[in-house]
Amino acid sequence: MISSMTGFGKSEIKRDGISVSVEAKSINSRFLEINLKLPKILQSREFEIREIIRRKVSRGKIFVAVEYEVDPAVQPPVQINFDVASFLVKSLKELKRRAKIKGEIKLEHLLGFSQIFDFNLGEDVSEDEWEIVKTAIEDAIGKLVDARNKEGLELAKDIEVRINAISRDVDKILSISSEKLKERQEKLKAKIEEIFKDVEFDKNRLEAELVMLANKLDITEECVRLKSHTKLFLDTLRSDENAVGRKLNFLLQEMLREATTINAKSEDTEIIYLVVGIKEEIEKIREQLQNVE
């Protein structure tokens, strides 16, 4: 079944003092384009994140934003280096004594020295932390894919209705063409015999010319090919293949080619009207296929 290229998925996980939020959305594109928005601590995992997405999605422009937070009650982001603080207090007291400065050494004096703070931010997540992030990403991408599949199902239903309508119109064209061709042959033969009734001519040559004319005007072959394309189109639409958008587009081009040839070879207004309808349906399907993976 076909899949749409538009969708949205979101996942949130809170575990072991870590909070991860992932949003994934996609729009249509000729190829697979992945756009990531990651916090600094996850940038070293960019390749792995891209691989997770590639395993699930074949086409479309994908936007994935990851938010990563640590609970300060579990993993304090800042710690006091008491050894440095003690050294600074001792140094300030010595400075005060030598400079003969009055007054007490207060906390605000120490806060001016960044050396007393140890920032526990880290350059990369641990393997356990990465597993939590990875689970959230896979869940968000899974929901994105589910949304794309659901929309694809609705697209497939509408496209199938239009393809069946095209197939029915081709059957009508075949029936009309068969009747009209015989009528045109008989009228043409009668007209020629009327014109040349007093003139000798080769009747075998006339019949041969009529056969050639019939072949030029006969649209049976084009109709058969068009019907064959509609069948293959439906088979592909209903198959379990992934990323069939390009194949369906190719079949649609072939259907349009046959319809154009039928239109060019036919002079019957009823057939021309039916072909116009077929082309309209093909164009509507083409628009929908722009959003098919």
Side-chain angles (χ1 to χ4, degrees):
M1 188 58 68
I2 65 172
S3 173
S4 168
M5 282 192 284
T6 60
F8 177 81
K10 184 176 182 179
S11 178
E12 294 180 345
I13 295 179
K14 292 183 179 180
R15 188 191 306 163
D16 300 334
I18 295 172
S19 176
V20 181
S21 176
V22 181
E23 285 192 3
K25 61 181 180 179
S26 65
I27 58 176
N28 61 325
S29 175
R30 290 183 62 193
F31 308 102
L32 177 61
E33 300 177 53
I34 301 174
N35 299 275
L36 301 178
K37 184 180 179 182
L38 305 174
K40 184 178 179 181
I41 199 170
L42 291 175
Q43 287 178 359
S44 63
R45 301 282 182 165
E46 180 177 343
F47 177 78
E48 293 169 84
I49 294 172
R50 290 182 179 274
E51 285 302 304
I52 291 172
I53 298 170
R54 287 192 184 99
R55 288 196 294 268
K56 296 285 187 179
V57 182
S58 301
R59 284 181 69 197
K61 185 177 289 187
I62 315 296
F63 302 89
V64 176
V66 182
E67 293 182 1
Y68 180 92
E69 295 180 357
V70 177
D71 185 351
V74 179
Q75 298 184 28
V78 179
Q79 293 181 338
I80 303 297
N81 190 322
F82 291 101
D83 291 336
V84 173
S86 297
F87 175 77
L88 288 172
V89 170
K90 184 178 179 181
S91 298
L92 288 173
K93 285 180 178 179
E94 181 64 21
L95 176 63
K96 176 185 172 184
R97 186 186 66 80
R98 293 190 181 189
K100 297 179 180 180
I101 299 173
K102 295 181 180 181
E104 297 180 1
I105 297 173
K106 298 181 179 180
L107 178 61
E108 56 260 31
H109 298 146
L110 292 176
L111 293 178
F113 296 92
S114 62
Q115 294 87 342
I116 70 170
F117 301 108
D118 287 336
F119 294 91
N120 186 28
L121 298 179
E123 294 295 326
D124 194 5
V125 290
S126 67
E127 287 303 317
D128 290 339
E129 292 167 340
W130 166 241
E131 284 301 317
I132 297 173
V133 175
K134 181 181 176 183
T135 300
I137 293 173
E138 289 176 336
D139 185 44
I141 297 301
K143 290 177 180 177
L144 170 71
V145 171
D146 289 342
R148 286 161 59 109
N149 289 340
K150 185 176 180 180
E151 186 173 333
L153 181 62
E154 296 304 314
L155 283 173
K157 289 178 181 178
D158 184 73
I159 291 173
E160 187 167 337
V161 169
R162 296 184 186 281
I163 290 295
N164 286 329
I166 290 173
S167 184
R168 289 193 297 271
D169 283 346
V170 173
D171 289 336
K172 292 177 184 178
I173 289 172
L174 272 170
S175 177
I176 295 169
S177 173
S178 178
E179 295 176 5
K180 297 293 182 179
L181 188 60
K182 291 178 181 178
E183 289 180 14
R184 292 185 67 182
Q185 283 180 293
E186 292 300 323
K187 286 181 180 179
L188 184 58
K189 185 176 180 180
K191 189 172 184 179
I192 292 174
E193 288 178 346
E194 176 65 26
I195 293 172
F196 295 100
K197 62 182 179 181
D198 297 325
V199 179
E200 291 187 7
F201 62 92
D202 189 345
K203 289 191 175 183
N204 292 329
R205 175 65 183 273
L206 172 62
E207 291 176 357
E209 291 292 337
L210 289 172
V211 170
M212 290 179 62
L213 177 63
N215 289 334
K216 287 182 180 180
L217 298 176
D218 188 16
I219 55 176
T220 302
E221 187 176 344
E222 287 78 8
C223 288
V224 170
R225 282 200 295 264
L226 181 49
K227 286 275 289 185
S228 175
H229 293 329
T230 60
K231 183 180 183 304
L232 182 56
F233 190 101
L234 288 177
D235 289 343
T236 305
L237 192 69
R238 297 164 179 165
S239 72
D240 294 328
E241 292 183 62
N242 293 322
V244 295
R246 290 190 178 92
K247 184 176 180 180
L248 293 176
N249 264 304
F250 173 77
L251 288 171
L252 207 62
Q253 289 175 7
E254 293 303 305
M255 290 164 61
L256 181 61
R257 190 195 311 277
E258 300 300 341
T260 301
T261 304
I262 292 170
N263 189 67
K265 292 177 72 172
S266 179
E267 296 180 359
D268 184 82
T269 54
E270 190 174 357
I271 290 177
I272 292 173
Y273 177 78
L274 287 169
V275 172
V276 169
I278 289 173
K279 286 186 173 182
E280 287 178 352
E281 293 294 345
I282 289 175
E283 186 56 35
K284 290 175 182 176
I285 296 171
R286 188 201 302 278
E287 292 174 3
Q288 292 176 321
L289 285 183
Q290 299 306 308
N291 198 37
V292 171
E293 184 178 5

